[in-house]
Amino acid sequence: MAQKIAIDENGYYGDFGGAYIPELLHPNIEELRNSYLDIMTKPDFQEKFKLLLKDYVGRPTPLYLAKKLSEKYGAKIYLKREDLNHTGAHKINNAIGQALVAKELGKKKIIAETGAGQHGVATATACALLGMECTVFMGEKDMERQKPNVERMKILGAKVEPARSGSKTLKDATNEAMRYWINNPEDTHYIIGSVVGPHPYPDMVTRFQSVISEEMMNQLQEHEGKNNPDYVIACVGGGSNAAGAFYHYLNEEDVKLICVEAAGHGVDSGETAATTAKGSDGVLHGSKTLLMQSEDGQVTEPYSISAGLDYPGIGPLHAHLFKSKRGIFKYVTDEQAMQAGVELSKLEGIIPAVESAHALAALSQIDFKASDVVVLNLSGRGDKDLQTYINHGSY
Amino acid sequence: MLHRIENIFRQQEKDKLTIYFTAGYPKLDDTQTIIKALNETDTDIIEIGIPYSDPLADGETIQQTSHQALENGMNLNLLFEQLKDLRQITDKPVFLMGYCNNVLKYGTEKFCKQCAEVGVDGLILPDMPILEYQKQFAPYFDKYGLKNVFLITPKTSEERIRAIDELNGGFIYMVSSAATTGGSWQESPEKTAYLQRIKNMKLKTPQMVGFGISDYPALRLVNQFTDGAIVGSAFLRALDPDKLEQSVKDFISLMRSNK
Ligand SMILES: Cc1ncc(COP(=O)(O)O)c(C=O)c1O
């Protein structure tokens, strides 16, 4: 392959990444940057983290051969069951990892942003577990469409702060969390929920999520007698579940990496979250990446039925995967995703999160060979989306 | 020839005041009116905010004025159009304040060229990292004679302040405390110690203090230690859309009066 996919010392993947942050955040980001690798790689930290992943989160998550789905799409399709994690999605891997890092840094308070509420719930959970104070910022619009998760966070003892600026969704929740951090830098750590934000966040979150592909390799070895599948498929909002599922395959040329973005009402409908299709280079939430924006550099309000994918940017790793063509990008509309979600429910008895349903809908866009081994990262379960399924009907 | 900004700081005996306002607020074509009004007041430097959809370092007032300005239809081409006669209107140094994305998306060289053509003296981009400035931006800033103003906070290390001092940025923007814009400044021993500490560093770049400054006592205090004060949110809150020029002048009189 041309260029190894890796992050450089300034936090860049190719052209994307870096830390474009107000000076006010510099001390916090610098502290994190100087210590995250040391902390994360310490044997006793690793031991603590791995033990919690095993006994508390329920890892390793199964790699399940979905026979009927395989039959339908003409390939050997495995589902990586991140939906079976405690709290129902991959987000908990990162939330627990970062909460442990925060403890090492001596921080007592945690803040987080959330879109679908999955990262918020995961963070609230990690904070309850580790005895930390937790505030979650959530767009007012998302609080409405993901009500059960708002209540979950509150039951877990977290404070939920509505973000009322801008489009009142994930992007604005992230802005509010960063502003809060600027105003309360001392004893607070900000747990970003995806592979976005200033360096070192994209790398740190990627590493915490990389347990997904680490397990995949071992499990494929067991099932297939080889580590590498032909395809790994994941949905991309900010990109954390995809980053985790891709991580150990980034430089394995024979593995095709499929990134599925939310097209909303259609890539060209004006109501979309398909960042790579509609975006251009710019700076969002502290990193240089691809984002949807006007000619003037004003960030566009994204749209997707899925609150977790309703984000105008993507992480710098994914921007690089797109530009370098290492990643293959697919776009799935609301309608296609909902149908794919219902299909998996009927075929395999698994109701997926609407985010993950986007990844499923991409199966019909790929020409598989019968011998292809495919791993689809089922990032989360559909409990939180019941109302969305009900509203959509046709099941 | 001295840069316009360098002249300002030669005037030792005076409390210096920078006023920030958001372009295109309260109404789309108020930009020029406000500059003209400010020109007739005892304001030393004018800072024009480029409204941005995601102003991370800004508090509610500037978020709201930016949002309103964008709703009004403000954009960069229009701003440069509004500033076409800038140098017929005022001799005061003028800085544009925005976020990196505004400049990057517009095209860094094109942006700098436009600034130079209308007579803007420099830029304040609060999310500009030193590293990126040196790598991507500095060549264009230098080519078009623009100053880049870096920010420091009470938490910025001495080493970093020294590095910023070497970058010849027109002035150093001292953020008054760990907060977004628009908070309230209260005199405190920590603040005075911060001002004193920076004064003791004897930097070659002048310093101005901003974020939360809204009245004469604060203006007076920071001028005792540094080279001036920057007032934004309080100014924006004082603007009266129906008596715009008068409200500009009244505010500056108030800032300058010891009552
Ligand atoms: C189940 C699920 N999948 C995917 C995502 C998208 O995030 P990312 O792209 O970071 O994996 C979310 C975000 O909330 C989610 O809840």
Side-chain angles (χ1 to χ4, degrees):
Chain A
M1 198 191 321
Q3 278 271 303
K4 210 165 134 58
I5 308 276
I7 195 162
D8 74 16
E9 57 174 358
N10 294 317
Y12 276 85
Y13 303 91
D15 293 339
F16 302 108
Y20 294 77
I21 44 161
E23 182 64 26
L24 296 141
L25 285 178
H26 188 267
N28 279 344
I29 297 294
E30 194 64 10
E31 176 186 34
L32 202 57
R33 178 186 165 147
N34 289 334
S35 49
Y36 82 108
L37 283 179
D38 288 345
I39 292 175
M40 286 178 71
T41 53
K42 268 197 309 205
D44 63 326
F45 180 94
Q46 276 294 323
E47 200 177 308
K48 238 187 289 178
F49 180 52
K50 291 259 160 78
L51 198 67
L52 283 176
L53 287 185
K54 175 167 164 285
D55 294 342
Y56 186 73
V57 175
R59 303 203 71 94
T61 59
L63 186 73
Y64 163 68
L65 176 61
K67 290 219 182 65
K68 288 198 238 162
L69 201 66
S70 299
E71 234 162 75
K72 164 129 204 214
Y73 291 101
K76 212 167 175 186
I77 301 173
Y78 289 92
L79 301 176
K80 179 62 176 160
R81 298 291 307 275
E82 291 301 300
D83 61 314
L84 292 178
N85 281 324
H86 180 42
T87 69
H90 66 293
K91 298 281 181 187
I92 190 84
N93 304 329
N94 167 53
I96 288 191
Q98 280 200 55
L100 289 173
V101 168
K103 281 226 138 170
E104 294 284 321
L105 290 172
K107 311 275 173 167
K108 307 237 159 13
K109 295 182 189 157
I110 295 294
I111 53 169
E113 85 298 337
T114 196
Q118 285 308 99
H119 174 58
V121 167
T123 305
T125 300
C127 289
L129 176 71
L130 298 170
M132 303 174 93
E133 203 181 308
C134 178
T135 305
V136 179
F137 294 84
M138 188 170 188
E140 212 167 39
K141 188 170 145 198
D142 290 338
M143 287 179 73
E144 262 162 52
R145 53 180 172 173
Q146 309 279 196
K147 262 200 194 110
N149 272 345
V150 175
E151 297 312 316
R152 259 180 212 125
M153 287 185 268
K154 290 184 183 164
I155 293 170
L156 290 161
K159 206 164 127 204
V160 183
E161 283 285 342
R164 297 201 172 89
S165 56
S167 53
K168 304 180 176 62
T169 60
L170 181 54
K171 148 179 109 73
D172 311 287
T174 309
N175 288 340
E176 290 306 327
M178 288 195 171
R179 287 186 187 117
Y180 180 92
W181 208 20
I182 287 175
N183 286 286
N184 303 274
E186 288 295 336
D187 52 356
T188 302
H189 173 72
Y190 176 18
I191 300 188
I192 294 187
S194 192
V195 289
V196 302
H199 178 61
Y201 276 104
D203 188 45
M204 179 168 62
V205 178
T206 296
R207 285 167 186 267
F208 281 133
Q209 292 294 359
S210 69
V211 63
I212 300 174
S213 49
E214 188 184 315
E215 290 174 4
M216 265 158 51
M217 282 193 143
N218 295 333
Q219 291 166 322
L220 277 175
Q221 187 58 247
E222 233 169 79
H223 287 279
E224 294 287 329
K226 59 176 188 178
N227 287 337
N228 291 5
D230 298 290
Y231 293 86
V232 181
I233 305 177
C235 66
V236 175
S240 67
N241 87 86
F246 295 165
Y247 186 75
H248 291 281
Y249 298 118
L250 284 173
N251 295 301
E252 301 287 316
E253 282 175 72
D254 54 327
V255 183
K256 297 181 193 70
L257 307 177
I258 311 288
C259 310
V260 186
E261 285 203 272
H265 290 144
V267 167
D268 296 315
S269 66
E271 290 180 300
T272 186
T275 304
T276 51
K278 290 282 137 187
S280 53
D281 294 19
V283 171
L284 181 65
H285 295 139
S287 75
K288 193 159 179 201
T289 188
L290 288 168
L291 65 135
M292 301 198 301
Q293 54 184 331
S294 71
E295 270 177 42
D296 232 34
Q298 308 296 346
V299 183
T300 310
E301 294 184 12
Y303 166 79
S304 164
I305 193 167
S306 138
L309 304 181
D310 199 353
Y311 185 68
I314 49 171
L317 167 62
H318 300 281
H320 180 56
L321 291 177
F322 179 74
K323 210 164 224 183
S324 66
K325 301 200 164 66
R326 175 67 184 100
I328 301 162
F329 282 72
K330 303 281 179 195
Y331 310 101
V332 163
T333 64
D334 289 0
E335 184 56 37
Q336 292 164 338
M338 294 311 294
Q339 280 177 17
V342 171
E343 179 182 86
L344 186 74
S345 308
K346 305 265 189 231
L347 283 181
E348 302 284 350
I350 300 168
I351 304 177
V354 173
E355 290 78 15
S356 322
H358 283 73
L360 289 160
L363 287 170
S364 66
Q365 298 185 17
I366 301 168
D367 259 334
F368 293 116
K369 294 195 299 280
S371 60
D372 281 338
V373 173
V374 178
V375 179
L376 187 143
N377 197 38
L378 202 71
S379 57
R381 58 179 177 245
D383 304 22
K384 69 180 175 64
D385 297 314
L386 218 51
Q387 197 55 51
T388 309
Y389 278 106
I390 294 168
N391 293 348
H392 181 259
S394 67
Y395 46 82
Chain B
M1 203 180 76
L2 276 183
H3 205 276
R4 225 176 262 115
I5 185 74
E6 288 163 340
N7 264 326
I8 293 292
F9 295 113
R10 292 237 154 161
Q11 306 160 26
Q12 301 273 338
E13 295 313 315
K14 167 175 192 294
D15 285 352
K16 275 163 266 8
L17 173 63
T18 292
I19 292 291
Y20 165 97
F21 70 97
T22 307
Y25 175 88
K27 297 206 200 62
L28 186 59
D29 31 347
D30 285 338
T31 313
Q32 269 209 9
T33 315
I34 294 177
I35 299 171
K36 277 183 188 153
L38 283 173
N39 188 55
E40 288 166 26
T41 66
D42 190 2
T43 299
D44 297 287
I45 299 172
I46 299 173
E47 214 180 284
I48 304 173
I50 301 165
Y52 183 47
S53 56
D54 294 73
L56 261 189
D58 287 303
E60 269 175 42
T61 301
I62 295 177
Q63 284 175 44
Q64 197 264 323
T65 57
S66 300
H67 182 76
Q68 184 61 52
L70 291 172
E71 292 274 293
N72 291 346
M74 197 63 213
N75 63 52
L76 278 172
N77 282 327
L78 190 60
L79 176 60
F80 286 122
E81 182 63 30
Q82 290 177 348
L83 297 181
K84 207 173 61 211
D85 302 323
L86 178 68
R87 288 302 162 206
Q88 269 97 47
I89 303 174
T90 185
D91 284 331
K92 297 183 191 294
V94 171
F95 284 72
L96 295 188
M97 181 155 183
Y99 286 80
C100 284
N101 200 48
N102 301 129
V103 180
L104 283 171
K105 181 65 184 165
Y106 194 79
T108 305
E109 169 145 31
K110 186 174 148 203
F111 191 97
C112 292
K113 187 158 180 269
Q114 288 274 22
C115 285
E117 274 170 19
V118 300
V120 163
D121 299 282
L123 294 171
I124 306 168
L125 304 167
D127 60 342
M128 165 90 81
I130 297 180
L131 179 79
E132 304 306 339
Y133 175 70
Q134 290 172 316
K135 256 185 10 202
Q136 307 176 43
F137 294 85
Y140 299 115
F141 279 58
D142 293 345
K143 179 170 173 190
Y144 294 100
L146 299 172
K147 298 281 187 187
N148 182 63
V149 172
F150 284 95
L151 281 66
I152 65 169
T153 79
K155 298 263 173 230
T156 307
S157 68
E158 172 155 354
E159 185 191 356
R160 197 169 158 80
I161 295 173
R162 295 272 175 220
I164 286 171
D165 194 30
E166 291 303 318
L167 293 170
N168 186 24
F171 62 92
I172 288 174
Y173 195 133
M174 281 174 67
V175 175
S176 57
S177 57
T180 43
T181 56
S184 68
W185 163 282
Q186 244 112 40
E187 200 183 330
S188 68
E190 295 83 56
K191 288 220 179 70
T192 316
Y194 168 50
L195 297 174
Q196 185 67 55
R197 177 166 65 86
I198 302 303
K199 182 182 167 79
N200 292 347
M201 286 182 73
K202 300 200 185 323
L203 302 173
K204 52 189 179 195
T205 315
Q207 313 101 48
M208 298 192 99
V209 184
F211 283 38
I213 296 190
S214 62
D215 57 15
Y216 173 79
L219 171 74
R220 190 75 270 282
L221 177 74
V222 303
N223 268 282
Q224 281 163 16
F225 294 90
T226 68
D227 302 286
I230 305 167
V231 178
S233 298
F235 176 73
L236 289 165
R237 286 193 290 260
L239 291 180
D240 180 346
D242 299 323
K243 292 177 287 183
L244 193 58
E245 287 166 86
Q246 197 53 47
S247 62
V248 169
K249 290 175 185 169
D250 290 348
F251 182 83
I252 306 300
S253 308
L254 205 66
M255 278 306 298
R256 289 289 188 187
S257 92
N258 172 4
K259 281 178 216 109

